[in-house]
Amino acid sequence: MSDRDAREEPLKIGVLISGSGTNLQAIIDRIADGTLSASIELVVSSRPSAYGLKRAEAAGLQTLTLSKELYADPEIDAIYVTTPHNTHIRYLRAALAAGKHVLCEKSITLNSAELDEARAIAREHGVVLLDATTILH
């Protein structure tokens, strides 16, 4: 258990988006209504023109075009991957190896070999890997 867990502070997350940021908005809404104890520290996209970055900026969130900085940032506990399926394993490898917990949109990987690899990296680094299959409304 980390010091952060012992203090029960809100989870600090970075959100990786590829498009409009609708999943990002759902997280913003859950934080605002108090059903999610978290803070969004950074919203990242590989595309500087992604509408979701504008949505994040409108909410007063810090934004960044994808770089390795996200994975090295000690203020980020977890990363939420909402990019197209064929990019998931690339981001999972980087985030998990950097010791970040990861929530990844479905389908988490393209095949079982990729999933086995991601699970092994998570185990090796003592972090949690979750598939965002079920969202409670």
Side-chain angles (χ1 to χ4, degrees):
M1 179 183 304
S2 72
D3 290 339
R4 179 168 284 134
D5 293 334
R7 293 189 311 260
E8 296 184 16
E9 292 179 10
L11 183 67
K12 295 179 180 180
I13 59 175
V15 180
L16 182 57
I17 64 170
S18 65
S20 67
T22 53
N23 290 319
L24 168 66
Q25 188 62 53
I27 299 249
I28 291 169
D29 294 345
R30 296 299 77 74
I31 291 170
D33 71 15
T35 57
L36 177 62
S37 177
S39 64
I40 299 172
E41 299 298 310
L42 185 62
V43 177
V44 182
S45 177
S46 60
R47 297 179 336 170
S49 63
Y51 178 75
L53 290 177
K54 292 176 183 52
R55 187 184 294 245
E57 289 167 355
L61 300 171
Q62 180 181 353
T63 62
L64 177 73
T65 300
L66 187 62
S67 71
K68 295 187 187 307
E69 294 170 30
L70 172 67
Y71 307 117
D73 189 335
E75 291 299 311
I76 301 295
D77 300 317
I79 296 176
Y80 180 30
V81 178
T82 67
T83 60
H85 302 156
N86 64 331
T87 66
H88 287 181
I89 191 63
R90 173 179 14 153
Y91 299 128
L92 292 174
R93 286 177 184 132
L96 295 167
K100 306 299 182 189
H101 303 291
V102 176
L103 174 64
C104 186
E105 275 302 319
K106 59 193 178 303
S107 123
I108 191 166
T109 59
L110 295 179
N111 55 58
S112 62
E114 287 181 354
L115 181 57
D116 290 345
E117 177 187 354
R119 291 178 66 209
I121 297 169
R123 241 186 332 273
E124 177 184 346
H125 293 278
V127 293
V128 176
L129 171 62
L130 293 172
D131 177 38
T133 301
T134 302
I135 297 176
L136 302 176
H137 296 276

